[in-house]
Amino acid sequence: MMRRFTHFMCVCMVWCSLAGCEDEEVATPAKPTLQANVTSAQVGDEITFTVNEVNADAISLSPYGLPGGDAGILVKDFAGGVATVTFSYARPGTFQAVAVANNHSKDGGSVKNVQSDPVTITITSTNKSLSDFAFADISSETTLDEDAKTIAVTVPYGTDVTNLKATFTASAFSTVTVGGVEQVSGTTENNFSTPQVYKVTADDGTSSDYTVTVTVAPVETTNTIASITATAVSATAEEKALGVW
């Protein structure tokens, strides 16, 4: 009798377990669709994505694509079966944007995801400027004319200008070269005995040329003494005139 009861309890536990799993199983949501008002833009430009509403627990937009480390954007406020999301890309590149619909069980043990067909988004950057130009470990004066794309630097008298390391700030996502050699701020040496051209190339391939001219300050030639003050340091000299030559 005891063996029959034990067998009955085991069967009941298995049945309950299976029933519980069945209760937690979730349905696969319908496939969402995704559209973008433009498929190419610059860094920082706004792009409007349109997502259709499907029967799902949640719908999110992944503008950088999947898989990826960028968090998705929860899509809400559907009206007439669609919702829009405005997004600005922070870096250049080609991305496969997707909308993802998911259903999940109450305990989170079962999740079903469906993603839309991807929309290819191409982001570029036209930024190609140079600023904060100076030389490492040298006191200098810099004049930068952005319109003329010229940089004039004055360094102290006696400075050896044949192997100076320039420090500078370039636009994000750009590269800087001199004579085809890539420049690293504060590291790359150049000979500034003649003007050097710094080419700043943007992510989209366009570029700007900055001509850098270095002038060594002349030696100080003014040696006229404008005034002098003397103080007697000996008691015996208090009443005597102090001559100045």
Side-chain angles (χ1 to χ4, degrees):
M1 183 68 180
M2 187 63 181
R3 293 178 61 186
R4 290 181 179 177
F5 179 76
T6 302
H7 177 75
F8 173 76
M9 290 297 296
C10 290
V11 172
C12 288
M13 291 176 64
V14 171
W15 181 85
C16 290
S17 176
L18 292 175
C21 290
E22 185 176 347
D23 290 341
E24 289 297 318
E25 188 67 23
V26 296
T28 300
K31 181 179 179 178
T33 60
L34 177 67
Q35 293 178 320
N37 66 325
V38 294
T39 56
S40 62
Q42 302 291 325
V43 171
D45 289 349
E46 290 188 343
I47 296 179
T48 299
F49 291 95
T50 302
V51 185
N52 74 303
E53 186 174 22
V54 295
N55 186 16
D57 292 337
I59 302 174
S60 61
L61 167 68
S62 294
Y64 289 99
L66 295 175
D70 301 282
I73 302 170
L74 182 64
V75 182
K76 52 186 179 179
D77 299 328
F78 285 90
V82 297
T84 58
V85 178
T86 301
F87 183 77
S88 298
Y89 284 84
R91 63 180 187 270
T94 300
F95 308 101
Q96 301 295 317
V98 293
V100 181
N102 69 74
N103 284 332
H104 55 84
S105 60
K106 293 181 180 180
D107 63 0
S110 179
V111 179
K112 293 291 180 66
N113 295 321
V114 175
Q115 69 182 52
S116 68
D117 292 331
V119 176
T120 302
I121 304 293
T122 302
I123 303 297
T124 57
S125 173
T126 61
N127 296 331
K128 46 185 178 291
S129 64
L130 196 65
S131 62
D132 302 322
F133 197 97
F135 292 115
D137 304 322
I138 296 178
S139 175
S140 59
E141 295 181 3
T142 300
T143 301
L144 192 155
D145 187 330
E146 181 61 35
D147 293 332
K149 295 292 188 293
T150 59
I151 301 175
V153 186
T154 301
V155 296
Y157 173 77
T159 301
D160 182 2
V161 299
T162 61
N163 57 351
L164 295 180
K165 298 177 181 179
T167 62
F168 53 83
T169 300
S171 297
F173 316 116
S174 68
T175 57
V176 181
T177 58
V178 172
V181 178
E182 186 169 354
Q183 304 292 293
V184 179
S185 178
T187 300
T188 310
E189 292 184 351
N190 286 295
N191 183 351
F192 288 91
S193 58
T194 58
Q196 297 296 309
V197 177
Y198 277 66
K199 180 181 290 292
V200 185
T201 304
D203 167 75
D204 68 349
T206 59
S207 63
S208 291
D209 289 345
Y210 289 79
T211 301
V212 180
T213 303
V214 176
T215 302
V216 179
V219 64
E220 178 62 58
T221 59
T222 302
N223 55 13
T224 303
I225 299 177
S227 64
I228 187 170
T229 301
T231 303
V233 296
S234 173
T236 59
E238 289 181 355
E239 303 300 328
K240 298 180 180 179
L242 299 178
V244 178
W245 294 270

